[in-house]
Amino acid sequence: MASEAKSAVRRYRMYINGEFVESAGKKYFPVIDPSTEEIMAEVPEANEEDVNRAVAAARAAFDSGAWPQTTAQDRGRILFRLAERIRKEAAKLAEVESRNSGKPIVEAEYDIADAATCFEYYGGMATKVLGQVNPVPDNALSLSLREPIGVAAQIIPWNYPLLMAAWKLAPAIAAGCTCVLKPAEQTPLTALEFAGYLADAGLPPGVVNIITGFGETCGAPLVKHPDVNKVAFTGSASVGKAIMKAAADTVKRVTLELGGKSPNIFFADADFESAIDGALFGVFINQGEVCSAGSRILVEKSIYPKFVEAMSAKAKTIRLGPPLERETKMGPLVSKDQFDRVRSYQELGKKEAKLAAGGGRPASISRGYYVEPTIFYDVDNSARIAQEEIFGPVAAVIPFADEAEALRIANATPYGLAAAIWSRDIFKALRMVKALRAGIVWVNHMQPTYVEAPWGGYKQSGFGRELGPWGIEEYLETKQVHINLNEQPIGWY
Ligand code: ADP
Ligand code: MG
């Protein structure tokens, strides 16, 4: 019975000022399991009033109370405890993540472990934020102090839900900021599970608030709020541009990690088997719902026919299926909207180029937002499928004649998040590394990501860097302090 099914759906609450609460309007919205298209949970629908409550809590926690009194050691230990808790709950978190986002359970397990590692990394970094003594030419002591920016609004996407939350929250907490995190409306569940760990780890109320809602009605008022000092956003280029404009009115600090159309470049001298695997992994991991997806596959002409054939043959063997099955290599897309969007690009590709694999829904699966891993070849780099971010398992294979042409095509995009080069010629590879306009360049690999190394884009892929020491910089202000050591100050009057 529908009513029974409905009562079985778990209702989550969101987290404001250390308490689990309903939205001001007592409204909820459904969270969909993309492999069944059924409702798997309900979460509060936050509106502007809730945003105001959450920002007020974050503001108060930043300005007074226990948080500003914490030492770097205290904050580090809180982060270590959060990491430990994530590891303890990893199996449950991975299952929720996998069901909610559609990603294969094995990938979800990696994501949860990476989230814990991120908290550990910034737990260690909390005590390594150093000021400086500036060598001013006077009898004075000139210092630069590093201080937290204040209240951070953190808006994240649905492709790596808990991991993106970790990338945002861990450095902010280490720096001493307070946070209002808004998960994507499609995938709020692991962040709400995580909210339950915060108080146990010793975090005072208001330091981290997690509110669930939609972009227009929850994200937008958060970005505009005058008590927010910084906005950290990961998501689409169009929303990133709107956020940058909205943040201008109150001169908020902004970091943006936006989309990409990253080239994965294969020279004829690359190891062929590794190259095929690298091309598939680069574009199809996480259903291709990856900002750094190697969605433009550039292949040197002498190996091009063989490459297209081998890649397509192997793509057809990728196992699609329920995300919770361990053998599954590709799950459904996250939502109906994303499914429709990717389907329309599959159809567009058939007009713009030649189809080598996939191109539709898998015939064997009747339910869920599954699409086939799809490969188009003989794609012109100016085609829409080579210029627009699809954010799904759709590859555009493009031939090139030589190094100069590879470079020209690779850089002919408004984006600049990532790139990869496959070659056994170190001189050629390094020439490419230098000339590619991208924030991340892999050689003979694509996609491995480490908390120790900087992550972020060139050009319209955004600005600011996450992870590593760069990640905490984005949550710090620099204060100059001048201490006069003369008996009399210098002056004219
Ligand atoms: P997609 O279109 O793939 O869902 P978005 O960039 O729209 O990607 O979503 C990323 C995040 O940005 C989500 O948390 C979403 O709710 C949020 N968002 C969407 N629109 C806005 C907006 N106008 N202001 C602030 N946040 C927004
Ligand atoms: Mg959107």
Side-chain angles (χ1 to χ4, degrees), residues 155-158 182-186 213-216 219-220 223 233-236 239 243 338:
I155 298 177
I156 57 173
W158 42 258
K182 192 196 89 61
E185 53 271 30
Q186 298 86 348
F214 295 93
E216 292 290 323
V223 172
F233 173 76
T234 300
S236 63
V239 173
I243 283 179
Q338 195 59 16

Side-chain angles (χ1 to χ4, degrees), residues 392-440:
V394 180
V397 187
I398 305 169
F400 67 83
D402 55 21
E403 191 182 324
E405 194 185 20
L407 186 63
R408 187 183 56 71
I409 296 171
N411 283 338
T413 164
Y415 293 114
L417 184 56
I421 305 144
W422 299 70
S423 170
R424 283 185 283 204
D425 177 345
I426 183 132
F427 301 103
K428 185 159 59 186
L430 290 178
R431 283 193 299 271
M432 293 291 289
V433 165
K434 279 187 75 175
L436 283 163
R437 300 289 297 159
I440 302 143

Side-chain angles (χ1 to χ4, degrees), residues 287-365:
Q287 296 74 241
E289 297 167 318
V290 182
C291 52
S292 58
S295 51
R296 288 187 300 146
I297 297 174
L298 278 49
V299 183
E300 192 163 353
K301 275 180 182 157
S302 59
I303 57 165
Y304 180 77
K306 189 173 134 199
F307 192 102
V308 172
E309 196 184 307
M311 186 185 170
S312 307
K314 203 154 183 188
K316 290 173 189 160
T317 69
I318 292 174
R319 186 166 169 150
L320 269 73
L324 293 179
E325 280 179 15
R326 300 199 71 81
E327 299 72 33
T328 291
K329 290 286 193 291
M330 187 180 284
L333 300 181
V334 70
S335 65
K336 176 72 166 55
D337 278 357
Q338 195 59 16
F339 173 84
D340 290 341
R341 182 183 157 79
V342 173
R343 282 287 299 113
S344 78
Y345 276 108
Q346 285 176 322
E347 295 311 313
L348 175 66
K350 290 171 195 169
K351 293 181 204 130
E352 287 188 327
K354 296 179 188 145
L355 180 68
R361 294 187 82 147
S364 58
I365 306 177

Side-chain angles (χ1 to χ4, degrees), residues 133-418:
V133 178
N134 311 309
V136 294
D138 226 326
N139 186 23
L141 190 57
S142 176
L143 307 176
S144 8
L145 308 185
R146 310 311 310 279
E147 297 184 340
I149 281 180
V151 175
Q154 304 177 312
I155 298 177
I156 57 173
W158 42 258
N159 57 342
Y160 289 90
L162 189 67
L163 187 57
M164 289 299 106
W167 285 22
K168 297 281 182 282
L169 292 173
I173 294 171
C177 288
T178 61
C179 306
V180 179
L181 176 81
K182 192 196 89 61
E185 53 271 30
Q186 298 86 348
T187 56
L189 299 183
T190 45
L192 293 179
E193 295 282 348
F194 173 81
Y197 314 158
L198 294 167
D200 291 348
L203 210 71
V207 176
V208 170
N209 307 276
I210 300 180
I211 57 175
T212 47
F214 295 93
E216 292 290 323
T217 46
C218 178
L222 184 56
V223 172
K224 282 207 304 263
H225 201 297
D227 283 340
V228 168
N229 304 108
K230 188 228 155 82
V231 181
F233 173 76
T234 300
S236 63
S238 60
V239 173
K241 289 172 192 175
I243 283 179
M244 197 168 159
K245 286 185 190 139
D249 281 337
T250 45
V251 195
K252 292 180 171 67
R253 282 83 181 112
V254 176
T255 46
L256 302 174
E257 204 266 80
L258 309 178
K261 197 72 194 178
S262 298
N264 198 0
I265 306 162
F266 295 89
F267 288 98
D269 64 15
D271 178 76
F272 191 77
E273 294 303 315
S274 313
I276 297 302
D277 284 350
L280 293 168
F281 189 77
V283 66
F284 292 146
I285 184 178
N286 204 47
Q287 296 74 241
E289 297 167 318
V290 182
C291 52
S292 58
S295 51
R296 288 187 300 146
I297 297 174
L298 278 49
V299 183
E300 192 163 353
K301 275 180 182 157
S302 59
I303 57 165
Y304 180 77
K306 189 173 134 199
F307 192 102
V308 172
E309 196 184 307
M311 186 185 170
S312 307
K314 203 154 183 188
K316 290 173 189 160
T317 69
I318 292 174
R319 186 166 169 150
L320 269 73
L324 293 179
E325 280 179 15
R326 300 199 71 81
E327 299 72 33
T328 291
K329 290 286 193 291
M330 187 180 284
L333 300 181
V334 70
S335 65
K336 176 72 166 55
D337 278 357
Q338 195 59 16
F339 173 84
D340 290 341
R341 182 183 157 79
V342 173
R343 282 287 299 113
S344 78
Y345 276 108
Q346 285 176 322
E347 295 311 313
L348 175 66
K350 290 171 195 169
K351 293 181 204 130
E352 287 188 327
K354 296 179 188 145
L355 180 68
R361 294 187 82 147
S364 58
I365 306 177
S366 57
R367 219 170 46 140
Y369 308 128
Y370 293 88
V371 296
E372 292 174 310
T374 297
I375 300 172
F376 291 108
Y377 69 108
D378 286 4
V379 181
D380 191 283
N381 191 57
S382 63
R384 283 183 56 201
I385 58 163
Q387 288 293 309
E388 297 174 16
E389 186 176 45
I390 298 173
F391 224 71
V394 180
V397 187
I398 305 169
F400 67 83
D402 55 21
E403 191 182 324
E405 194 185 20
L407 186 63
R408 187 183 56 71
I409 296 171
N411 283 338
T413 164
Y415 293 114
L417 184 56

